[in-house]
Every structure is written in structure tokens, then in C-alpha cells.
Amino acid sequence: MIKQLGMITIGQAPRTDVAPVIEKYLEGRAELVQVGLLDGLSAAQIADLAPEPGDYVLTSRLLDGSAAIVSREKIRPILDRKVREFEGMGVSNILLLCTGSFPGLRSAKAHLIEPDRIIPPAVQAMADGRRLGLIGPLPEQAGQLDLKFSSLVQPAFAAASPYTSGEAEFRQATESLKGRVELILLDCMGYDERHRQWVANACAGIPVILSNALMGKLVAEMV
């Protein structure tokens, strides 16, 4: 029987934009089973999950391709429930399709793979003293992302959304980092190869790391 890798997106499943990246590296060794925290919710119900002042802000993709902005604090009970549901299905490896931080998130039996616990130390080691630039979806996430790389000189930040921004916005974000960084991380699991190429074209030889490709390569070694 083929193994299963559970994947939880903050938005709605299936993630037809990102799932192919993960599946590429799985090479058929595991079936990708997707669920979303916002699956089945109405527009009004999703609006009720919007951040309040001081909340930790997250954004993700809905089935129609649009983006939702939600509060980590409000979606946390749903996330805990989805983890339990996967465990009840016998899924032993669960990937969280989000680079955000979820303090205290736990599973009872399954191996929970959190990009926030893997990508920052990996990128810091790869940076090896080079100045890091972060591109994240929303301007209000700047402080949240900086905290993850506290052992480095404060990274430069620019915003461009994988869900609502076009090539011009990515070029503008990259231009704002020029001269200040030597390595760029696309710090959201929603960015894809197209976004990486837009940034690479605009940054003249600076390495660009795609979060979901990095996680796909690592997860593939664990299933």
C-alpha cells in the first residue's frame, strides 16, 4: 500500500498551484492528501477569520484563485482539528503548507513537518554570513518574518503576493532589495517557479530560494 503524505493549507484544497511542486519531488513514493482550513466555508465565514489589531497575519489561496487574509489566532482551532483528523485516518506524515510560525502546535502520533522550524535554520546556514533578503506576501508581515531570522543581521524585506501580484510588483519588490542583499528567500509556500524566475530576472545573479521547492526536496527524503 502506497504511503500517504497529508498536506494542510491555510486556505482551501486542493492547491493546484503548489501541489505539483511537492509531487514532483515525491516521485510517486507517496500519495499527497490535501485538506484546507477554509474548506467548505462561505465568504462570510472566512471574513469572520480576518485579523484583529495585534494578530499574527496569514494569507492563502482559495479555490477560485483569490486570496484570503486570516488571523493565526482565529484559525488555530481549525488547524488543530485537521491534524487530529489526519491522524485518525492513519496518516503518519503531515506537511503544513505555510511558512508561518505556530507555537505549541503538536500531533499525538503523526510526524508534523512545519516549514517554519526547517527553512530558517537551513537558510541561515546557506547564507553563511551573506545578507539575506525576504520577499513575503503582505507588508504587514515584515516584523513577523524578521523574527524567524533573529540570529542574522536583520533581513531586508519587500512584499509581493503570490496570489494577487504580477510581474511588475515582483520586479518592484526585487529592485527595493538591490544593493542590500546577497541572497533572497521567497518566504511563503504559495510562491512558484514563475515567481522565482521573475525575481531572478530582476536581481542580476543573486540566488533566489523557493520555499516550497526546498520543502519538497526535504520531505521527499522522509517518506
Side-chain angles (χ1 to χ4, degrees):
M1 182 176 178
I2 191 169
K3 295 179 180 178
Q4 291 183 321
L5 172 65
M7 187 172 79
I8 302 175
T9 176
I10 301 302
Q12 293 177 332
R15 287 295 299 268
T16 55
D17 56 333
V18 175
V21 178
I22 306 299
E23 291 174 326
K24 170 185 173 181
Y25 296 107
L26 289 176
E27 297 180 328
R29 295 195 299 274
E31 176 192 4
L32 191 63
V33 182
Q34 304 181 52
V35 299
L37 302 189
L38 307 184
D39 287 353
L41 298 188
S42 67
Q45 289 171 315
I46 293 171
D48 286 340
L49 299 173
E52 305 290 343
D55 283 356
Y56 189 101
V57 178
L58 300 167
T59 185
S60 190
R61 186 178 186 269
L62 302 180
L63 281 177
D64 63 3
S66 64
I69 299 175
V70 297
S71 159
R72 177 185 67 183
E73 289 74 14
K74 292 181 181 180
I75 57 92
R76 179 58 184 270
I78 308 174
L79 175 57
D80 290 335
R81 186 172 73 247
K82 296 293 185 181
V83 170
R84 292 195 301 270
E85 289 174 359
F86 262 144
E87 290 186 307
M89 294 166 54
V91 175
S92 58
N93 291 288
I94 302 171
L95 171 63
L96 181 58
L97 195 71
C98 181
T99 61
S101 175
F102 293 86
L105 183 62
R106 295 287 182 270
S107 56
K109 298 175 290 184
H111 179 53
L112 189 58
I113 306 167
E114 298 179 67
D116 176 64
R117 298 176 60 191
I118 297 171
I119 292 175
V123 170
Q124 290 180 75
M126 293 163 67
D128 192 29
R130 288 179 288 180
R131 294 171 297 169
L132 177 64
L134 304 175
I135 293 181
L138 302 170
E140 54 266 42
Q141 293 178 311
Q144 298 174 185
L145 300 184
D146 288 349
L147 289 174
K148 299 195 294 184
F149 297 91
S150 57
S151 67
L152 296 177
V153 175
Q154 185 174 26
F157 176 83
S161 171
Y163 312 118
T164 61
S165 300
E167 185 173 4
E169 289 85 357
F170 275 84
R171 187 184 309 114
Q172 182 178 14
T174 306
E175 290 286 346
S176 74
L177 298 176
K178 276 188 176 179
R180 299 192 290 149
V181 306
E182 299 162 284
L183 182 70
I184 295 175
L185 171 67
L186 299 182
D187 198 8
C188 173
M189 294 291 278
Y191 294 115
D192 58 30
E193 192 59 47
R194 175 189 48 165
H195 302 122
R196 172 158 55 184
Q197 195 58 55
W198 287 348
V199 174
N201 290 343
C203 69
I206 296 174
V208 182
I209 301 171
L210 185 60
S211 290
N212 57 35
L214 179 59
M215 288 304 305
K217 293 170 186 177
L218 294 172
V219 169
E221 298 300 317
M222 301 171 64
V223 298

